[in-house]
Amino acid sequence: MEIRIFEDAASLGLAAADIFAQTIKNKPSCVLGLATGASPIPTYNRLVELCNAKEISFADVKTFNLDEYCDLPKDDKNSYYTFMHENLFNLVDIKEENVNILDGNAADAEKEAADFDAAIKAAGGIDVQLLGIGNNGHIGFNEPADAFTTGTFKVKLTESTLQANSRYFDENPMPHYALTMGVGSIMDAKKIVLIATGPAKAQAIFNTVKGEVTPQVPASILQQHPDCVLLLDKAAASLL
Ligand code: F6R
């Protein structure tokens, strides 16, 4: 794992966006794996700027998002569908048919998950995957567990994740289930960029980098990825 430490979230966002912009420049029809949450917002802001400045174009880019809540209307303000459109897709020249977000309301969740994995494969695999990390070490919504997960699946969210994310849910109650890419799907990405900011992530980052590889800290498996970079601010890196 390569580790790069930044002064603040803004400079980290510029560096993360630079990796994605270079990928798009080198391969205009690349396949990007994307994340939601607070961490990637500066990265997406910068990618929008670069697209507006015509330095990059998403015209041939395909995207796959890590996860989506179940039992939440697609257009709810807290759905990841809404998040991605508000923070990136509506602001760049991507084609909607190239955007892949799991349908958390699919009647057959298993089929939805299998179709998603098949679509990633058909697209040639993910060139670069962006990840945030949960306070409990989760990646995507792969929560601490007894075994590493493989492909996309439906997951029951843990108390730690419900507590971390419930602040966003003032209208509808926070869903207790989500669809998520599995740890195996994430590890299949050719390159992984994990971003973490703030003191609440420091312990999870320590466990990810210095701890043993264990499904109790899902991100720890990234130690075994051949091309993984961690972009951290000083607070997130404070225990290293
Ligand atoms: C989001 C996702 C989650 C978040 C993680 C950190 O698509 O997969 O694993 O990356 O919960 O969230 P923030 O960035 O809000 O701290």
Side-chain angles (χ1 to χ4, degrees), residues 2-6 12 15-16 18-19 229-233 237:
E2 184 196 346
I3 295 171
R4 292 167 62 189
I5 299 173
F6 296 85
L12 185 159
D18 194 46
I19 295 173
V229 57
L230 268 52
L231 307 183
L232 312 172
D233 73 353

Side-chain angles (χ1 to χ4, degrees), residues 78-96:
N78 283 309
S79 78
Y80 289 169
Y81 176 92
T82 299
F83 176 96
M84 287 308 303
H85 283 81
E86 285 181 350
N87 287 289
L88 185 66
F89 299 146
N90 289 347
L91 309 174
V92 296
D93 58 346
I94 197 161
K95 298 187 181 91
E96 190 62 32

Side-chain angles (χ1 to χ4, degrees), residues 11-205:
S11 49
L12 185 159
L14 293 183
D18 194 46
I19 295 173
F20 281 82
Q22 282 307 328
T23 303
I24 295 170
K25 282 180 190 169
N26 293 341
K27 184 178 173 189
S29 62
C30 62
V31 180
L32 303 181
L34 300 178
T36 58
S39 311
I41 290 179
T43 305
Y44 293 152
N45 289 346
R46 178 65 179 154
L47 287 173
V48 170
E49 268 176 28
L50 291 172
C51 189
N52 284 339
K54 305 255 181 276
E55 289 198 32
I56 55 171
S57 167
F58 286 79
D60 296 319
V61 170
K62 283 202 176 87
T63 65
F64 289 86
N65 260 82
L66 279 168
D67 42 19
E68 177 60 288
Y69 289 114
C70 293
D71 312 315
L72 191 67
K74 184 176 165 181
D75 57 2
D76 185 278
K77 72 177 166 83
N78 283 309
S79 78
Y80 289 169
Y81 176 92
T82 299
F83 176 96
M84 287 308 303
H85 283 81
E86 285 181 350
N87 287 289
L88 185 66
F89 299 146
N90 289 347
L91 309 174
V92 296
D93 58 346
I94 197 161
K95 298 187 181 91
E96 190 62 32
E97 70 257 31
N98 286 340
V99 166
N100 295 276
I101 299 181
L102 285 153
D103 177 1
N105 295 302
D108 185 343
E110 266 181 40
K111 180 176 183 310
E112 176 66 14
D115 288 353
F116 194 76
D117 285 334
I120 294 175
K121 208 169 168 196
I126 291 173
D127 290 303
V128 192
Q129 174 69 55
L130 183 62
L131 294 180
I133 184 169
N135 298 350
N136 62 2
H138 76 210
I139 47 176
F141 273 135
N142 294 278
E143 302 285 18
D146 291 336
F148 285 114
T149 57
T150 52
T152 300
F153 70 109
K154 182 170 179 172
V155 64
K156 187 169 178 13
L157 302 177
T158 61
E159 201 49 47
S160 156
T161 299
L162 293 173
Q163 271 177 21
N165 289 7
S166 59
R167 63 199 147 113
Y168 299 119
F169 289 83
D170 43 8
E171 288 167 11
N172 288 318
M174 180 170 170
H176 285 223
Y177 287 87
L179 296 183
T180 182
M181 277 167 59
V183 169
S185 336
I186 293 170
M187 287 293 280
D188 281 344
K190 290 160 202 156
K191 182 179 182 73
I192 295 179
V193 178
L194 183 143
I195 54 179
T197 54
K201 302 290 169 70
Q203 188 65 51
I205 289 298

